[in-house]
Amino acid sequence: MSTSFESKKVIVAGGSSGVGLATAALLAKEKANVIITGRSAARLADAAKAVPGIQTTALDSNNRQELDAFFQSQGAIDHLVISLSGAKGAGKFSELSLKDLREGFEGKFWPQLNTLQAALPFVNKGGSITIITAISAISKAPGTSGLAAINGALELMVPTIAKEIKPLRINAVSPGVVDTPWWDFLPADAKAGAFREYASQLPVGRIGQPDDVADTILFLMRNGNITGTVVRCDGGLSL
């Protein structure tokens, strides 16, 4: 039976762009009460214009005091989506700056755990938590060992946390190559070329879109019989 999100309170951490914003938009269509967070007030303002009806809060998910105050102010919530991510940690290991890798953890691993821990007392036991990792956790592609460390560490924690917080559910969605602002470190022509190359190699014949991942997130939020699971939404990249 389909579960309605109407009037449900959902926090999307890192919801100002990409997968987070696409998830917020789908939830808003289902009449959920959606609050997105992010560090950039300007991006949050743009997101609010793009998805009328959502609420926004600017905060730094590395700042535990800010997070604690935010969740205390929100009170009980039904679902939490954590789509926080950084842009560092990629590169061949022999050339990888460990400073950049550390910053990669600071941009994704620690903010996700900070948010999760701060939110736990407020998520209704019949609700769900969904974190966003990445296929680099298992892809074994050259140049992704640092990203594998960040995302793999998050994925390894999910089953154990699921047992600890039962009956509250927690799952992860692991996207592959998705057309989001994460790729904006590349010039436009280089990004387009990279996407064409990936699309030619993927079994589905195209790269992912944010809505592809958002659909998967809502599936996990909706299905009360799934917990402790990592769902791959990667176009077959991991095959």
Side-chain angles (χ1 to χ4, degrees), residues 74-122:
Q74 292 298 322
I77 60 177
D78 296 296
H79 299 280
L80 172 67
V81 178
I82 308 179
S83 187
L84 301 162
S85 187
K88 293 190 176 182
K92 292 183 179 179
F93 182 75
S94 61
E95 304 166 359
L96 178 62
S97 163
L98 297 188
K99 178 178 179 294
D100 281 354
L101 178 55
R102 185 183 298 276
E103 290 178 2
F105 271 91
E106 294 292 342
K108 183 167 187 175
F109 181 79
W110 293 115
Q112 289 216 14
L113 295 192
N114 261 325
T115 302
L116 173 57
Q117 207 172 57
L120 272 179
F122 303 98

Side-chain angles (χ1 to χ4, degrees), residues 188-207:
D189 288 348
K191 181 168 70 172
F195 284 172
R196 285 193 298 271
E197 180 65 20
Y198 276 114
S200 70
Q201 298 173 12
L202 289 169
V204 298
R206 66 174 179 87
I207 64 165

